[in-house]
Each structure stands twice: as structure tokens, then as C-alpha cells.
Amino acid sequence: MTVRQPPDLTYKHPKCYANSRGGCSTKISGEHYVSHALIKLYTFDDPSVVIKPTANYRIPVDIKPKNFVANVLCTRHNNDLSDADSTALDFATFLRDIAIRYKNGGGEWGPAETIEVSGDDFQRWVLKLIITHAAADVFTEGDGKRVTTIIPDESIDLLLDRAEWPRTWGLGVTGNLSNSHLKFDPFTRAEVVINEWWSAQPLIKHDPRTLLGGIVDLAGVSFTMCIFNQSEALLHDDKINPLLGVLQRPDSLTWILDGVPKTIQFRWNDRWQHRPITFTMHR
Ligand SMILES: [Zn+2]
């Protein structure tokens, strides 16, 4: 009879960014910068298709999906985040399918549709994407130099669902359409869900350089992520402020055309307020 060894909960893999409280496996996962399922979806499962990061994301381009890995998470911690990955895939697939049928307005909008996804898992996916990029030192400055940032331990506790999100931290979407930093339209320019379907930009505090969050675009929608109290930033009326008018943790996102809604309903387990957001489209 064999007895399964309990996992060594104290082991910290030196290359795993989530090692702050141990619990690592001894293998590194080869984590993709973007969840591998998403890469497959958007490249139609063709391994020869090349991923081209968008202009504001300046890692070397023309990396094949197979090689598009960061090696910054152990397999156990990567597995702990698989629900987050599948939630992002559900979100992107829903919007992408609608956009492809709609053909920039030349096709069919179709009937009312709703998808329900876990807001908690989606929030963790956005955080994971930003931390993975930061841990792999792929964010660059104006001169192309790679930026090394400290990843705060609190962000790992939130990522692995070990801590409750403070009310003023976390995911957000635009609540002020004059904020030109944040996208909200997956449908009138199909490129945003087909070619330019994701990007990530960090928010970094200097001296010492510390990761504070970032902005992730997925399938034509921008999501802000703050691992700090964003209350003041939401009100700061300055053109360079990407957080102006952000609404935190929406209850739902709905796009309406000719009275017909397409809705992403988020499920939340936290005790904070969640409000629905509706974008009314015009032909
Ligand atoms: Zn680990």
C-alpha cells in the first residue's frame, strides 16, 4: 500500500512569483503570458499563427504561442488559477462570437443574449495577467528598456484568494466615456476582438519600483486593476489619468443595439456594491 505524501506546504520555488507563503510544487509551469486557451481561441488553433502584441506593448513581437511562456509560476499555483483562465476565455468567446456575426455593422446583431461569469475569477485573471508580465520583466519604458518591479505580497494573497479585496482596490471598467484610455466597444471595429484582442500596461510606483496594478484590454474592453486605494484617482480630472470615472466591480456589462441587449452578468462573492453598466450603441 502506498501512502500519498502530503504536499510540502513550506516549499517556495525560487522562480514562482506566488511563493510568498510557500505551497509551491517543484516544477515550473511554463505559464503563457496570456492564458493558453485564449491564444488557441484567437489563433484558430493554428500553431503557425504568430502573436503580435499591440503597439503600446513593446515586448519583442512575432513570438509563436508555443514559445510565449514566462516560466514564472510553479505548476501548483498555476493550477490554482485555472478557473480564472477559463472565466476570461468565456468572456472573450462571448464577445468575439457576437462581433464576428455583427461584422462591424454589416452583419446580424441577433437576439438578446446573456452569459454569466464569476466576477471574482475574472478579477483574479486580470491581476494574474498583470503580475505575470511584471514577474517576467517584459514591461518596457519609453526607451525600450525592460522594467523590473517589486510585486507586493498583498497582491499574491488576493490572487490566490487568501485575502478579501479591500473595497477601494480591484477591478474596474470605464464609467466616463470621455476617459480616452479605456475601451468599451468590442463591436464596431472587429479588429479589437480579432487582431488587437489583448494588451496589458502596468501602473508602477517609483522608488522603489512597485507594481500597483495596470490596465488590461480583452476583446475590446479595458479593465483597470488597482492594488491600492484608488478613491482619489477616480476623481482626479486630468487627461493623463486612466482611472478617471472608473466604476469598480460592475454587476454586469450590457451593450444594447435597437433595443436588443447582449449582457455579461458577473457573479460576486464579496460584500461590496455592484452596479450594472449599459452601453447604448447607435448605427
Ligand atoms: Zn508556486
Side-chain angles (χ1 to χ4, degrees), residues 8 11-13 16 23-28 74-77:
D8 176 4
Y11 180 63
K12 299 181 177 188
H13 196 296
C16 174
C24 287
S25 53
T26 53
K27 264 186 75 183
I28 283 291
C74 72
T75 51
R76 183 172 299 137
H77 283 132

Side-chain angles (χ1 to χ4, degrees), residues 138-263:
V138 293
F139 289 127
T140 55
E141 295 181 280
D143 57 5
K145 222 176 106 215
R146 288 181 171 217
V147 177
T148 301
T149 49
I150 296 165
I151 297 168
D153 285 350
E154 296 97 314
S155 66
I156 302 302
D157 288 338
L158 292 167
L159 183 71
L160 298 176
D161 212 11
R162 291 171 180 154
E164 180 185 53
W165 284 84
R167 183 179 59 80
T168 59
W169 297 27
L171 188 78
V173 293
T174 191
N176 179 339
L177 302 190
S178 70
N179 178 341
S180 61
H181 301 274
L182 303 180
K183 301 190 180 91
F184 56 89
D185 179 5
F187 304 117
T188 52
R189 225 170 51 81
E191 294 83 357
V192 298
V193 289
I194 296 171
N195 298 323
E196 305 158 13
W197 54 277
W198 66 280
S199 69
Q201 292 172 284
L203 296 170
I204 291 170
K205 180 170 80 84
H206 289 264
D207 296 325
R209 281 199 168 128
T210 307
L211 187 68
L212 284 184
I215 300 170
V216 168
D217 289 359
L218 179 64
V221 184
S222 299
F223 292 93
T224 57
M225 169 53 61
C226 293
I227 36 184
F228 65 99
N229 181 341
Q230 62 191 299
S231 307
E232 277 180 41
L234 301 184
L235 306 171
H236 188 57
D237 190 4
D238 187 322
K239 278 209 168 351
I240 63 162
N241 175 20
L243 297 173
L244 173 65
V246 158
L247 292 174
Q248 287 187 254
R249 289 183 277 263
D251 172 69
S252 57
L253 298 177
T254 299
W255 289 264
I256 295 183
L257 180 67
D258 299 338
V260 179
K262 307 283 188 182
T263 298

Side-chain angles (χ1 to χ4, degrees), residues 57-120:
Y57 176 78
R58 288 176 292 266
I59 69 163
V61 296
D62 289 359
I63 300 170
K64 292 199 183 350
K66 197 164 56 116
N67 304 327
F68 210 57
V69 293
N71 296 319
V72 289
L73 262 183
C74 72
T75 51
R76 183 172 299 137
H77 283 132
N78 193 39
N79 289 342
D80 286 349
L81 292 165
S82 60
D83 285 351
D85 290 343
S86 59
T87 299
L89 178 65
D90 291 346
F91 173 94
T93 305
F94 180 74
L95 293 182
R96 181 175 177 276
D97 287 351
I98 297 167
I100 285 172
R101 279 180 271 137
Y102 185 56
K103 296 189 172 66
N104 298 346
E108 293 292 321
W109 180 246
E113 289 176 84
T114 300
I115 185 180
E116 190 181 280
V117 299
S118 161
D120 303 281

